[in-house]
Amino acid sequence: MRYLISGGGTGGHIFPAVSIANALKELDPEAEILFVGALGRMEMERVPQAGYQIVGLPVRGFNRAQPWKNISVLADLVKSIRQVKKIIRDFQPNVGVGVGGYASGAAMWAAANMGIPILLQEQNGFAGVTNKILKNKASKICVAYPGMERFFPAEKIILTGNPVRQNLTQGKRDEARSAKEKNLLIIGGSLGARTINEAVIASLNVLSDKDHSSRLHVVWQTGKTYYDRCRKAWQEAGSPANIECLDFLSDMPDRYAQADLVISRAGASSISEICLLGKPAILVPSPNVAEDHQTHNAMALVNREAAVLVRDAEAQLRLMPTAMQLINDAAQLEKLHTNVLQLAEKDSAKRIAEEVIRLAKNEK
């Protein structure tokens, strides 16, 4: 069987795509898998690191602020569809899998028009533009949240949850260390989150206060974009030993395992990880995303008392005080842990892979 997987642009698209590919390989070791991504985007680096071949398209997102600049974007889209049709003719996939993003739109549109069944995976509680455009061409649509019938045909929907990194549940917690200190994990994604970082910078003196530095440990993942600025602020605060200032975390399973409280954006992958691991969390939805979908993601947890929401505009004033109060409230942490764990969808990648293989067999 041959599978064409497309999507990317952010880690929120790439991690699920790679997880689905890994699950396909586990179920079908002889499977041939080819990724299609967008040139210059993160997937062109991350997918080969995961051991898969990827082909890049010159596709780009539309410029909503300056529509007159979209003539060249449309030209690149046409070029990308032409290119991906050749890729499909050469590779001859049995099924196409789209996880969202610019490249996914071009690749899945071409695949469907060439008679290849496609499966879409929608990570968010508010469907993305690409998947909404492709909904009538898809054979199946795997979603992470209930109630997605408002976006997609009900008969095509399968509730699977979002695939997460396969090794995520294998993290180790140092119980001796955890008994002596509270651990706060602050993650802004691979590129970083400006508002979260600014809130941390404004509170470095509080977080590093000598009165509690021995019992509070902070892991502050700044993202590559903001690392230099954050590192400088950390140094100016006296390089507090209880605060780790890092641009990227390569050992996320262990970091999650140690965390008593997580501060995060409300991207689909982050929320799926938090649910699966049962981590109490403060969610700060990014306002710079299509259809404000991160707020929809966050509210799915907040409405079930499974997470705390701090809006981006209020983060500077409220984020760190809320975190300091919550991390010392054992009863509330336990309540959030219990409630968020009930929202976890397990074995998502395997369940999606099984649907993909079923489509492939039906097509054959």
Side-chain angles (χ1 to χ4, degrees):
M1 297 288 189
R2 290 177 297 279
Y3 306 103
L4 188 77
I5 301 178
S6 185
T10 66
H13 290 313
I14 298 165
F15 292 138
V18 170
S19 294
I20 293 169
N22 291 342
L24 283 169
K25 275 292 194 182
E26 287 181 18
L27 295 172
D28 181 8
E30 301 301 316
E32 294 182 37
I33 297 173
L34 178 64
F35 279 77
V36 175
L39 289 171
R41 302 301 297 241
M42 192 189 303
E43 59 266 27
M44 301 307 296
E45 178 182 344
R46 295 291 173 83
V47 169
Q49 288 174 353
Y52 296 102
Q53 182 183 357
I54 186 168
V55 179
L57 304 176
V59 66
R60 293 176 288 144
F62 283 95
N63 190 328
R64 299 182 186 186
Q66 299 171 305
W68 60 89
K69 292 188 176 181
N70 286 325
I71 295 174
S72 62
V73 175
L74 284 170
D76 282 340
L77 176 60
V78 172
K79 183 178 177 181
S80 296
I81 291 175
R82 191 183 308 124
Q83 186 176 333
V84 83
K85 283 183 176 180
K86 183 180 186 306
I87 293 168
I88 290 169
R89 282 194 295 270
D90 292 341
F91 185 61
Q92 296 187 349
N94 298 98
V95 177
V97 181
V99 298
Y102 315 137
S104 178
M108 293 303 105
W109 180 273
N113 285 340
M114 294 173 75
I116 295 163
I118 65 171
L119 177 144
L120 303 179
Q121 198 261 328
E122 175 55 59
Q123 294 103 35
N124 296 294
F126 198 96
V129 173
T130 297
N131 285 343
K132 284 192 286 189
I133 291 172
L134 292 169
K135 65 182 179 182
N136 292 326
K137 293 183 176 293
S139 298
K140 296 291 180 182
I141 305 172
C142 295
V143 301
Y145 296 94
M148 297 300 283
E149 295 83 2
R150 58 194 171 130
F151 302 110
F152 305 124
E155 67 277 8
K156 296 183 178 183
I157 294 175
I158 305 170
L159 181 62
T160 59
N162 279 325
V164 299
R165 290 168 274 197
Q166 266 87 349
N167 66 344
L168 203 64
T169 58
Q170 298 169 10
K172 296 178 181 178
R173 183 177 176 90
D174 185 337
E175 295 299 341
R177 175 178 170 181
S178 299
K180 292 188 294 184
E181 64 187 14
K182 295 291 185 181
N183 285 275
L184 176 62
L185 175 61
I186 304 169
I187 47 178
S190 53
L191 299 178
R194 180 179 58 82
T195 308
I196 293 177
N197 285 329
E198 287 177 350
V200 177
I201 289 172
S203 302
L204 281 172
N205 289 334
V206 175
L207 294 173
S208 61
D209 191 294
K210 296 294 185 287
D211 291 337
H212 66 210
S213 61
S214 62
R215 60 185 176 85
L216 177 68
H217 183 78
V218 181
V219 177
W220 177 21
Q221 185 256 319
T222 67
K224 293 181 180 179
T225 308
Y226 304 100
Y227 177 68
D228 290 342
R229 179 184 170 198
C230 293
R231 184 78 178 181
K232 182 180 179 182
W234 176 79
Q235 290 171 338
E236 289 174 350
S239 304
N242 69 311
I243 302 175
E244 293 184 67
C245 180
L246 304 162
D247 64 337
F248 182 75
L249 298 175
S250 58
D251 54 348
M252 278 303 296
D254 289 345
R255 300 295 190 171
Y256 265 130
Q258 292 291 343
D260 295 293
L261 176 65
V262 177
I263 294 176
S264 174
R265 285 300 199 194
S269 290
S270 297
I271 285 188
S272 296
E273 293 173 354
I274 287 166
C275 291
L276 185 66
L277 299 173
K279 288 295 169 181
I282 299 174
L283 301 175
V284 187
S286 171
N288 306 312
V289 294
E291 310 287 358
D292 195 25
H293 68 252
Q294 286 202 6
T295 298
H296 291 273
N297 293 347
M299 292 308 297
L301 274 61
V302 173
N303 289 337
R304 299 198 188 186
E305 298 184 317
V308 172
L309 175 74
V310 172
R311 297 195 181 276
D312 190 84
E314 302 171 343
Q316 190 81 3
L317 293 176
R318 289 192 55 225
L319 183 56
M320 286 305 135
T322 301
M324 298 309 298
Q325 179 183 357
L326 182 55
I327 203 167
N328 291 301
D329 187 339
Q332 184 65 8
L333 289 176
E334 182 60 28
K335 178 181 178 181
L336 291 173
H337 163 72
T338 300
N339 290 348
V340 79
L341 205 54
Q342 294 175 359
L343 301 180
E345 292 282 350
K346 297 182 179 179
D347 299 320
S348 297
K350 181 182 178 183
R351 289 156 65 188
I352 294 170
E354 288 171 345
E355 290 297 329
V356 173
I357 291 172
R358 193 172 292 121
L359 279 180
K361 289 181 177 177
N362 289 342
E363 186 266 346
K364 274 210 163 187

